[in-house]
Amino acid sequence: MSPFYILAFFTGITLMDGHDLEIAREKIKSEFFPTFIVDMSVWPAAQFMNFKYVPIKHQVMVVNSIGIFYNTFISYMQRI
């Protein structure tokens, strides 16, 4: 995804959980880089394979399917 998305996700969810910005900052400090490493491992390879091997009419479905798993992962990272 992107560094901005990861920062916005951790900040937004932490604030919606009723915590303050200091807790969000601590969450970002502890979870940003592990999440970003997985992000950079998943999306470039997924997009390469999607554009190289998947027919155009199925590309959106493939990316959305990968997105479900990625969003599950990032939600898990928020909760640990």
Side-chain angles (χ1 to χ4, degrees):
M1 294 293 214
S2 74
F4 176 76
Y5 175 79
I6 296 169
L7 293 173
F9 181 85
F10 284 138
T11 303
I13 297 297
T14 302
L15 293 175
M16 286 189 275
D17 281 346
H19 302 291
D20 59 12
L21 284 174
E22 184 60 34
I23 300 295
R25 186 177 334 163
E26 290 173 17
K27 187 66 172 173
I28 290 167
K29 264 187 190 177
S30 67
E31 301 303 330
F32 176 81
F33 285 110
T35 305
F36 185 68
I37 289 169
V38 170
D39 182 89
M40 290 293 102
S41 299
V42 169
W43 286 109
Q47 291 290 23
F48 173 79
M49 292 179 41
N50 187 40
F51 289 123
K52 179 97 173 151
Y53 300 111
V54 177
I56 291 174
K57 65 181 181 179
H58 299 300
Q59 288 179 354
V60 172
M61 180 185 63
V62 169
V63 169
N64 285 336
S65 298
I66 295 166
I68 289 171
F69 292 106
Y70 179 77
N71 288 332
T72 302
F73 165 75
I74 199 169
S75 295
Y76 169 76
M77 292 300 286
Q78 170 64 26
R79 298 298 174 201
I80 61 171

Coordinates of all heavy atoms in Angstrom, one line a residue:
M1 N 0.9 -1.2 0.0 CA 0.0 0.0 0.0 C 0.9 1.2 0.0 O 1.4 1.6 -1.0 CB -0.9 0.0 1.2 CG -1.9 -1.1 1.1 SD -3.0 -0.8 -0.2 CE -4.5 -1.5 0.4
S2 N 1.1 1.9 1.1 CA 1.9 3.0 1.2 C 2.2 3.4 2.6 O 1.4 3.0 3.5 CB 1.3 4.2 0.5 OG 0.3 4.8 1.3
P3 N 3.3 4.1 2.9 CA 3.6 4.5 4.3 C 2.5 5.4 4.8 O 2.1 5.2 6.0 CB 4.9 5.3 4.2 CG 5.6 4.7 2.9 CD 4.4 4.4 2.0
F4 N 1.9 6.2 4.0 CA 0.8 7.1 4.5 C -0.4 6.3 4.9 O -1.0 6.5 5.9 CB 0.4 8.1 3.4 CG -0.8 8.9 3.8 CD1 -0.6 10.0 4.7 CD2 -2.1 8.6 3.3 CE1 -1.7 10.7 5.1 CE2 -3.2 9.4 3.7 CZ -3.0 10.4 4.6
Y5 N -0.8 5.2 4.1 CA -1.9 4.4 4.5 C -1.7 3.7 5.8 O -2.6 3.6 6.7 CB -2.1 3.4 3.4 CG -3.2 2.4 3.7 CD1 -4.6 2.7 3.6 CD2 -2.9 1.1 4.2 CE1 -5.6 1.8 3.9 CE2 -3.9 0.2 4.5 CZ -5.2 0.6 4.4 OH -6.2 -0.3 4.7
I6 N -0.5 3.2 6.0 CA -0.1 2.5 7.3 C -0.2 3.5 8.4 O -0.9 3.2 9.5 CB 1.3 1.8 7.2 CG1 1.3 0.8 6.1 CG2 1.7 1.3 8.6 CD1 2.7 0.2 5.8
L7 N 0.3 4.7 8.3 CA 0.3 5.7 9.4 C -1.2 6.1 9.6 O -1.6 6.2 10.8 CB 1.1 6.9 9.0 CG 2.6 6.7 8.9 CD1 3.3 8.0 8.4 CD2 3.2 6.3 10.3
A8 N -1.9 6.3 8.6 CA -3.3 6.7 8.7 C -4.2 5.6 9.4 O -5.0 5.9 10.2 CB -3.9 7.1 7.4
F9 N -3.9 4.4 9.0 CA -4.6 3.2 9.5 C -4.4 3.1 11.0 O -5.3 3.1 11.8 CB -4.3 1.9 8.8 CG -5.0 0.7 9.4 CD1 -6.2 0.4 8.9 CD2 -4.5 -0.1 10.3 CE1 -6.9 -0.7 9.3 CE2 -5.1 -1.1 10.8 CZ -6.4 -1.5 10.3
F10 N -3.1 3.1 11.4 CA -2.8 2.9 12.9 C -3.3 4.1 13.7 O -3.8 3.9 14.8 CB -1.3 2.7 13.1 CG -0.8 1.3 12.7 CD1 0.4 1.2 12.1 CD2 -1.5 0.2 13.1 CE1 0.9 -0.1 11.7 CE2 -1.0 -1.1 12.8 CZ 0.1 -1.2 12.1
T11 N -3.2 5.3 13.2 CA -3.6 6.5 13.9 C -5.1 6.5 14.0 O -5.7 6.7 15.1 CB -3.2 7.8 13.2 OG1 -1.7 7.8 13.1 CG2 -3.6 9.0 13.9
G12 N -5.8 6.2 12.9 CA -7.3 6.3 12.9 C -7.9 5.2 13.8 O -8.8 5.5 14.6
I13 N -7.4 4.0 13.7 CA -8.0 2.9 14.5 C -7.7 3.2 16.0 O -8.6 2.9 16.8 CB -7.5 1.5 14.0 CG1 -7.9 1.3 12.6 CG2 -7.9 0.4 15.0 CD1 -9.4 1.2 12.4
T14 N -6.5 3.6 16.3 CA -6.2 3.9 17.7 C -7.1 5.0 18.3 O -7.6 4.9 19.4 CB -4.7 4.3 17.8 OG1 -3.9 3.2 17.3 CG2 -4.3 4.5 19.3
L15 N -7.3 6.0 17.5 CA -8.2 7.1 18.0 C -9.6 6.6 18.1 O -10.3 7.0 19.0 CB -8.1 8.3 17.0 CG -6.7 9.1 17.0 CD1 -6.7 10.2 16.0 CD2 -6.4 9.6 18.4
M16 N -10.1 5.8 17.1 CA -11.5 5.3 17.2 C -11.7 4.4 18.3 O -12.8 4.2 18.8 CB -11.8 4.7 15.9 CG -12.1 5.7 14.8 SD -12.8 4.9 13.3 CE -11.3 4.4 12.5
D17 N -10.6 3.7 18.8 CA -10.6 2.9 20.0 C -10.7 3.7 21.3 O -10.8 3.1 22.3 CB -9.4 1.9 20.0 CG -9.6 0.7 19.1 OD1 -10.7 0.5 18.6 OD2 -8.5 0.1 18.8
G18 N -10.6 5.0 21.2 CA -10.7 5.8 22.3 C -9.4 6.2 23.0 O -9.4 6.8 24.1
H19 N -8.3 5.9 22.3 CA -7.0 6.3 22.9 C -6.6 7.6 22.3 O -7.2 8.2 21.4 CB -6.0 5.2 22.5 CG -6.3 3.9 23.0 ND1 -6.4 3.5 24.3 CD2 -6.7 2.8 22.3 CE1 -6.7 2.2 24.4 NE2 -7.0 1.8 23.2
D20 N -5.5 8.2 22.9 CA -5.1 9.5 22.5 C -3.9 9.4 21.5 O -3.5 8.3 21.2 CB -4.6 10.4 23.7 CG -3.5 9.8 24.5 OD1 -2.9 8.8 24.1 OD2 -3.3 10.3 25.6
L21 N -3.4 10.5 21.0 CA -2.4 10.5 20.0 C -1.0 9.9 20.5 O -0.3 9.4 19.7 CB -2.1 11.9 19.5 CG -3.2 12.5 18.5 CD1 -2.9 13.9 18.2 CD2 -3.2 11.6 17.2
E22 N -0.8 10.0 21.8 CA 0.4 9.4 22.4 C 0.4 7.9 22.2 O 1.4 7.3 21.8 CB 0.6 9.8 23.8 CG 1.9 9.3 24.4 CD 3.1 9.9 23.7 OE1 3.1 11.0 23.3 OE2 4.1 9.2 23.7
I23 N -0.7 7.3 22.4 CA -0.8 5.8 22.3 C -0.7 5.5 20.8 O 0.0 4.5 20.4 CB -2.2 5.3 22.8 CG1 -2.3 5.6 24.3 CG2 -2.4 3.9 22.5 CD1 -1.3 4.9 25.2
A24 N -1.3 6.3 19.9 CA -1.1 6.1 18.5 C 0.3 6.2 18.0 O 0.8 5.4 17.2 CB -2.0 7.1 17.7
R25 N 1.1 7.2 18.6 CA 2.5 7.4 18.3 C 3.3 6.1 18.7 O 4.1 5.6 18.0 CB 3.0 8.6 18.9 CG 4.4 8.9 18.5 CD 5.0 10.1 19.0 NE 4.0 11.1 19.4 CZ 4.2 12.2 20.1 NH1 5.4 12.4 20.6 NH2 3.3 13.0 20.4
E26 N 3.0 5.6 19.9 CA 3.7 4.4 20.4 C 3.3 3.2 19.5 O 4.2 2.4 19.2 CB 3.2 4.1 21.8 CG 3.8 5.1 22.8 CD 3.2 4.9 24.2 OE1 2.6 3.8 24.5 OE2 3.3 5.8 25.0
K27 N 2.1 3.1 19.1 CA 1.7 2.0 18.2 C 2.5 2.1 16.8 O 3.0 1.1 16.3 CB 0.2 2.1 17.9 CG -0.3 0.9 17.2 CD -0.2 -0.3 18.0 CE -0.9 -1.5 17.4 NZ -0.6 -2.7 18.1
I28 N 2.5 3.3 16.3 CA 3.3 3.5 15.0 C 4.7 3.2 15.2 O 5.3 2.5 14.4 CB 3.1 4.9 14.5 CG1 1.6 5.1 14.0 CG2 4.0 5.3 13.4 CD1 1.2 6.5 13.8
K29 N 5.3 3.6 16.4 CA 6.7 3.3 16.6 C 7.0 1.8 16.6 O 8.0 1.3 16.1 CB 7.2 3.9 18.0 CG 7.8 5.2 17.9 CD 8.4 5.5 19.3 CE 8.8 7.0 19.3 NZ 9.2 7.4 20.6
S30 N 6.1 1.0 17.3 CA 6.4 -0.4 17.4 C 5.9 -1.2 16.2 O 6.5 -2.3 16.0 CB 5.6 -0.9 18.7 OG 4.2 -0.9 18.5
E31 N 4.9 -0.8 15.5 CA 4.4 -1.7 14.4 C 4.6 -1.2 13.0 O 4.3 -1.9 12.1 CB 2.9 -1.9 14.7 CG 2.5 -2.5 16.0 CD 3.2 -3.8 16.2 OE1 3.5 -4.6 15.3 OE2 3.5 -4.1 17.4
F32 N 5.0 0.1 12.8 CA 5.1 0.6 11.5 C 6.1 -0.2 10.6 O 5.8 -0.7 9.5 CB 5.5 2.1 11.5 CG 5.7 2.6 10.1 CD1 4.7 3.0 9.3 CD2 7.0 2.7 9.5 CE1 4.8 3.4 8.0 CE2 7.2 3.2 8.2 CZ 6.1 3.5 7.5
F33 N 7.3 -0.4 11.1 CA 8.4 -1.0 10.2 C 8.1 -2.5 9.9 O 8.2 -2.9 8.8 CB 9.8 -0.8 10.8 CG 10.2 0.6 10.5 CD1 10.4 1.5 11.6 CD2 10.5 1.1 9.3 CE1 10.8 2.8 11.4 CE2 10.9 2.4 9.0 CZ 11.1 3.2 10.1
P34 N 7.6 -3.3 10.9 CA 7.3 -4.7 10.6 C 6.1 -4.7 9.5 O 6.1 -5.5 8.6 CB 6.8 -5.3 11.9 CG 7.5 -4.5 12.9 CD 7.6 -3.1 12.4
T35 N 5.1 -3.8 9.7 CA 4.0 -3.8 8.7 C 4.5 -3.3 7.4 O 4.1 -3.9 6.3 CB 2.9 -2.9 9.2 OG1 2.5 -3.3 10.5 CG2 1.7 -2.9 8.3
F36 N 5.4 -2.3 7.3 CA 5.9 -1.8 6.1 C 6.7 -2.8 5.3 O 6.7 -2.9 4.1 CB 6.7 -0.5 6.3 CG 7.2 0.2 5.1 CD1 6.3 0.7 4.2 CD2 8.5 0.2 4.8 CE1 6.7 1.4 3.0 CE2 9.0 0.8 3.6 CZ 8.0 1.4 2.7
I37 N 7.5 -3.6 6.1 CA 8.3 -4.7 5.5 C 7.4 -5.7 4.8 O 7.7 -6.1 3.6 CB 9.3 -5.3 6.5 CG1 10.4 -4.3 6.9 CG2 9.8 -6.6 6.0 CD1 11.2 -4.7 8.0
V38 N 6.4 -6.1 5.5 CA 5.4 -7.1 4.8 C 4.7 -6.4 3.6 O 4.6 -7.0 2.6 CB 4.4 -7.6 5.9 CG1 3.3 -8.3 5.2 CG2 5.1 -8.4 6.9
D39 N 4.4 -5.2 3.8 CA 3.7 -4.4 2.7 C 4.6 -4.4 1.4 O 4.2 -4.7 0.3 CB 3.5 -3.0 3.1 CG 2.8 -2.1 2.1 OD1 1.6 -2.1 2.1 OD2 3.5 -1.5 1.3
M40 N 5.9 -4.1 1.6 CA 6.8 -4.1 0.5 C 7.2 -5.5 0.0 O 7.7 -5.6 -1.1 CB 8.1 -3.4 0.9 CG 7.9 -1.9 1.1 SD 7.5 -1.0 -0.5 CE 5.8 -0.8 -0.3
S41 N 6.9 -6.5 0.8 CA 7.1 -7.9 0.3 C 5.9 -8.4 -0.5 O 6.1 -9.2 -1.4 CB 7.4 -8.8 1.5 OG 8.5 -8.4 2.2
V42 N 4.8 -8.0 -0.1 CA 3.5 -8.5 -0.7 C 3.2 -7.8 -2.0 O 3.0 -8.4 -3.1 CB 2.4 -8.4 0.3 CG1 1.0 -8.7 -0.4 CG2 2.6 -9.4 1.4
W43 N 3.0 -6.4 -1.9 CA 2.4 -5.7 -3.0 C 3.2 -5.6 -4.3 O 2.6 -5.8 -5.4 CB 1.9 -4.3 -2.6 CG 0.7 -4.4 -1.7 CD1 0.6 -4.2 -0.4 CD2 -0.6 -4.9 -2.2 NE1 -0.6 -4.5 0.0 CE2 -1.4 -4.9 -1.0 CE3 -1.1 -5.2 -3.4 CZ2 -2.7 -5.3 -1.1 CZ3 -2.4 -5.6 -3.4 CH2 -3.2 -5.6 -2.3
P44 N 4.5 -5.4 -4.3 CA 5.2 -5.4 -5.5 C 5.2 -6.7 -6.2 O 4.9 -6.8 -7.5 CB 6.7 -5.0 -5.1 CG 6.5 -4.3 -3.9 CD 5.4 -4.9 -3.2
A45 N 5.3 -7.8 -5.5 CA 5.2 -9.2 -6.1 C 3.8 -9.5 -6.6 O 3.6 -10.0 -7.7 CB 5.7 -10.2 -5.1
A46 N 2.8 -9.1 -5.8 CA 1.5 -9.3 -6.2 C 1.1 -8.5 -7.5 O 0.5 -9.1 -8.4 CB 0.5 -8.9 -5.1
Q47 N 1.5 -7.3 -7.5 CA 1.2 -6.5 -8.7 C 2.0 -7.0 -9.9 O 1.5 -7.0 -11.1 CB 1.5 -5.0 -8.5 CG 0.6 -4.4 -7.5 CD -0.8 -4.2 -8.0 OE1 -1.3 -4.9 -8.9 NE2 -1.6 -3.3 -7.4
F48 N 3.2 -7.4 -9.8 CA 4.0 -7.9 -10.9 C 3.3 -9.1 -11.5 O 3.1 -9.2 -12.7 CB 5.4 -8.3 -10.4 CG 6.2 -9.0 -11.5 CD1 6.7 -8.3 -12.6 CD2 6.3 -10.4 -11.5 CE1 7.4 -8.9 -13.6 CE2 7.0 -11.0 -12.5 CZ 7.6 -10.3 -13.5
M49 N 3.0 -10.1 -10.6 CA 2.3 -11.3 -11.1 C 0.9 -11.0 -11.6 O 0.5 -11.6 -12.6 CB 2.2 -12.3 -9.9 CG 3.6 -12.8 -9.6 SD 3.8 -14.0 -8.3 CE 2.5 -15.1 -8.5
N50 N 0.2 -10.0 -11.1 CA -1.1 -9.7 -11.6 C -1.0 -9.1 -13.0 O -1.7 -9.6 -13.9 CB -1.7 -8.6 -10.6 CG -3.1 -8.3 -11.0 OD1 -3.9 -9.2 -11.3 ND2 -3.5 -7.1 -10.9
F51 N -0.1 -8.2 -13.2 CA 0.0 -7.6 -14.5 C 0.7 -8.5 -15.6 O 0.4 -8.4 -16.8 CB 0.8 -6.3 -14.5 CG 0.0 -5.2 -13.8 CD1 0.5 -4.5 -12.7 CD2 -1.2 -4.8 -14.3 CE1 -0.2 -3.5 -12.1 CE2 -1.9 -3.8 -13.7 CZ -1.4 -3.1 -12.6
K52 N 1.5 -9.4 -15.1 CA 2.2 -10.3 -16.0 C 1.4 -11.5 -16.4 O 1.4 -11.9 -17.6 CB 3.5 -10.8 -15.3 CG 4.4 -11.7 -16.2 CD 5.4 -11.0 -16.9 CE 6.3 -12.0 -17.6 NZ 6.9 -11.5 -18.7
Y53 N 0.6 -12.1 -15.5 CA 0.0 -13.4 -15.7 C -1.5 -13.4 -15.7 O -2.1 -14.3 -16.2 CB 0.5 -14.4 -14.7 CG 2.0 -14.6 -14.8 CD1 2.8 -14.2 -13.7 CD2 2.6 -15.2 -15.9 CE1 4.2 -14.4 -13.8 CE2 4.0 -15.4 -16.0 CZ 4.8 -15.0 -14.9 OH 6.1 -15.1 -15.0
V54 N -2.1 -12.4 -15.1 CA -3.6 -12.5 -15.0 C -4.2 -11.7 -16.1 O -3.8 -10.6 -16.5 CB -4.0 -11.8 -13.6 CG1 -5.5 -11.8 -13.5 CG2 -3.4 -12.6 -12.5
P55 N -5.2 -12.3 -16.8 CA -5.9 -11.6 -17.8 C -6.6 -10.3 -17.3 O -7.0 -10.2 -16.1 CB -7.0 -12.5 -18.3 CG -6.6 -13.9 -17.8 CD -5.8 -13.6 -16.6
I56 N -6.6 -9.3 -18.1 CA -7.1 -7.9 -17.7 C -8.4 -8.0 -17.1 O -8.6 -7.3 -16.1 CB -7.1 -7.0 -19.0 CG1 -5.7 -6.7 -19.4 CG2 -7.8 -5.7 -18.6 CD1 -5.6 -5.9 -20.7
K57 N -9.3 -8.8 -17.6 CA -10.7 -8.8 -17.0 C -10.7 -9.4 -15.6 O -11.7 -9.2 -14.8 CB -11.6 -9.6 -17.9 CG -11.3 -11.1 -18.0 CD -12.3 -11.7 -18.9 CE -12.1 -13.2 -19.1 NZ -13.0 -13.8 -19.9
H58 N -9.6 -10.0 -15.1 CA -9.6 -10.6 -13.8 C -8.6 -9.9 -12.8 O -8.6 -10.2 -11.6 CB -9.2 -12.1 -13.8 CG -10.1 -12.9 -14.6 ND1 -11.4 -13.1 -14.3 CD2 -9.9 -13.7 -15.7 CE1 -12.0 -13.9 -15.1 NE2 -11.0 -14.3 -16.0
Q59 N -8.0 -8.8 -13.3 CA -7.0 -8.2 -12.5 C -7.5 -7.5 -11.3 O -7.0 -7.5 -10.2 CB -6.2 -7.2 -13.3 CG -5.2 -7.9 -14.3 CD -4.4 -6.9 -15.1 OE1 -4.6 -5.7 -15.1 NE2 -3.5 -7.5 -15.9
V60 N -8.7 -6.8 -11.4 CA -9.3 -6.2 -10.3 C -9.7 -7.2 -9.2 O -9.4 -7.0 -8.0 CB -10.5 -5.3 -10.7 CG1 -11.2 -4.8 -9.5 CG2 -10.1 -4.2 -11.6
M61 N -10.2 -8.3 -9.6 CA -10.6 -9.3 -8.7 C -9.4 -9.9 -7.9 O -9.5 -10.1 -6.7 CB -11.3 -10.5 -9.4 CG -11.8 -11.6 -8.4 SD -12.5 -13.0 -9.3 CE -11.1 -13.5 -10.3
V62 N -8.3 -10.1 -8.6 CA -7.1 -10.6 -8.0 C -6.5 -9.6 -6.9 O -6.2 -10.0 -5.8 CB -6.0 -11.0 -9.0 CG1 -4.7 -11.3 -8.4 CG2 -6.5 -12.1 -9.9
V63 N -6.4 -8.4 -7.3 CA -5.9 -7.4 -6.4 C -6.8 -7.2 -5.2 O -6.4 -7.1 -4.0 CB -5.7 -6.0 -7.1 CG1 -5.4 -4.9 -6.1 CG2 -4.6 -6.1 -8.1
N64 N -8.1 -7.2 -5.4 CA -9.1 -7.1 -4.3 C -9.0 -8.4 -3.4 O -9.1 -8.2 -2.1 CB -10.5 -7.0 -4.8 CG -10.7 -5.6 -5.3 OD1 -10.1 -4.6 -4.9 ND2 -11.7 -5.4 -6.2
S65 N -8.8 -9.5 -3.9 CA -8.6 -10.7 -3.1 C -7.3 -10.6 -2.3 O -7.3 -11.0 -1.1 CB -8.5 -12.0 -4.0 OG -9.7 -12.1 -4.7
I66 N -6.2 -10.2 -2.8 CA -5.0 -10.0 -2.1 C -5.2 -8.9 -1.0 O -4.8 -9.1 0.1 CB -3.8 -9.6 -3.0 CG1 -3.6 -10.8 -3.9 CG2 -2.6 -9.3 -2.2 CD1 -2.7 -10.5 -5.1
G67 N -6.0 -7.9 -1.4 CA -6.3 -6.8 -0.4 C -7.0 -7.3 0.8 O -6.8 -6.8 1.9
I68 N -7.9 -8.3 0.7 CA -8.6 -8.9 1.8 C -7.6 -9.4 2.8 O -7.7 -9.2 4.0 CB -9.6 -9.9 1.4 CG1 -10.8 -9.2 0.6 CG2 -10.1 -10.7 2.6 CD1 -11.8 -10.2 0.0
F69 N -6.7 -10.2 2.3 CA -5.7 -10.8 3.2 C -4.8 -9.8 3.8 O -4.4 -9.8 5.0 CB -4.9 -11.9 2.4 CG -5.7 -13.1 2.1 CD1 -6.1 -13.3 0.8 CD2 -6.1 -14.0 3.0 CE1 -6.9 -14.4 0.4 CE2 -6.9 -15.1 2.7 CZ -7.3 -15.3 1.4
Y70 N -4.4 -8.8 3.0 CA -3.5 -7.7 3.5 C -4.2 -6.9 4.6 O -3.7 -6.6 5.6 CB -3.0 -6.8 2.4 CG -2.2 -5.7 2.9 CD1 -0.9 -5.9 3.3 CD2 -2.7 -4.4 3.1 CE1 -0.1 -4.9 3.8 CE2 -1.9 -3.4 3.7 CZ -0.6 -3.6 4.0 OH 0.2 -2.7 4.5
N71 N -5.5 -6.6 4.4 CA -6.3 -5.8 5.4 C -6.5 -6.7 6.7 O -6.5 -6.1 7.8 CB -7.6 -5.4 4.8 CG -7.4 -4.3 3.8 OD1 -6.5 -3.5 3.9 ND2 -8.3 -4.2 2.9
T72 N -6.6 -8.0 6.5 CA -6.7 -8.8 7.7 C -5.4 -8.8 8.5 O -5.3 -8.7 9.7 CB -7.0 -10.3 7.3 OG1 -8.2 -10.3 6.6 CG2 -7.1 -11.2 8.5
F73 N -4.2 -8.8 7.7 CA -2.9 -8.7 8.4 C -2.7 -7.4 9.1 O -2.3 -7.4 10.2 CB -1.8 -8.9 7.3 CG -0.5 -8.5 7.8 CD1 0.2 -9.3 8.7 CD2 0.1 -7.3 7.4 CE1 1.5 -8.9 9.2 CE2 1.3 -6.9 7.9 CZ 2.0 -7.7 8.8
I74 N -3.1 -6.3 8.4 CA -2.8 -5.0 9.1 C -3.8 -4.8 10.3 O -3.4 -4.2 11.3 CB -2.9 -3.8 8.0 CG1 -2.3 -2.6 8.6 CG2 -4.4 -3.6 7.6 CD1 -2.1 -1.5 7.5
S75 N -5.0 -5.4 10.2 CA -5.9 -5.3 11.4 C -5.3 -6.2 12.5 O -5.3 -5.7 13.7 CB -7.2 -5.9 11.0 OG -7.8 -5.0 10.1
Y76 N -4.7 -7.3 12.2 CA -4.0 -8.1 13.2 C -2.9 -7.3 13.9 O -2.7 -7.3 15.1 CB -3.5 -9.4 12.6 CG -2.6 -10.2 13.5 CD1 -3.1 -10.9 14.6 CD2 -1.2 -10.1 13.3 CE1 -2.2 -11.6 15.4 CE2 -0.3 -10.8 14.1 CZ -0.8 -11.5 15.2 OH 0.0 -12.2 16.0
M77 N -2.1 -6.6 13.0 CA -1.0 -5.8 13.6 C -1.4 -4.7 14.5 O -0.8 -4.4 15.4 CB -0.1 -5.3 12.4 CG 0.6 -6.3 11.6 SD 1.8 -7.2 12.5 CE 3.1 -6.0 12.8
Q78 N -2.6 -4.2 14.2 CA -3.2 -3.1 15.1 C -3.5 -3.7 16.4 O -3.4 -3.0 17.4 CB -4.4 -2.5 14.4 CG -5.2 -1.6 15.3 CD -4.5 -0.4 15.7 OE1 -3.6 0.1 15.0 NE2 -4.9 0.2 16.8
R79 N -4.0 -5.0 16.5 CA -4.5 -5.5 17.7 C -3.4 -6.2 18.6 O -3.7 -6.5 19.7 CB -5.6 -6.6 17.4 CG -6.8 -6.0 16.8 CD -7.4 -4.9 17.6 NE -8.5 -4.3 16.9 CZ -8.9 -3.1 17.3 NH1 -8.4 -2.4 18.3 NH2 -9.9 -2.5 16.6
I80 N -2.2 -6.4 18.1 CA -1.2 -7.0 18.9 C -0.5 -6.0 19.7 O -0.5 -4.8 19.5 CB -0.2 -7.9 18.1 CG1 0.6 -7.0 17.1 CG2 -0.9 -9.0 17.5 CD1 1.7 -7.8 16.5

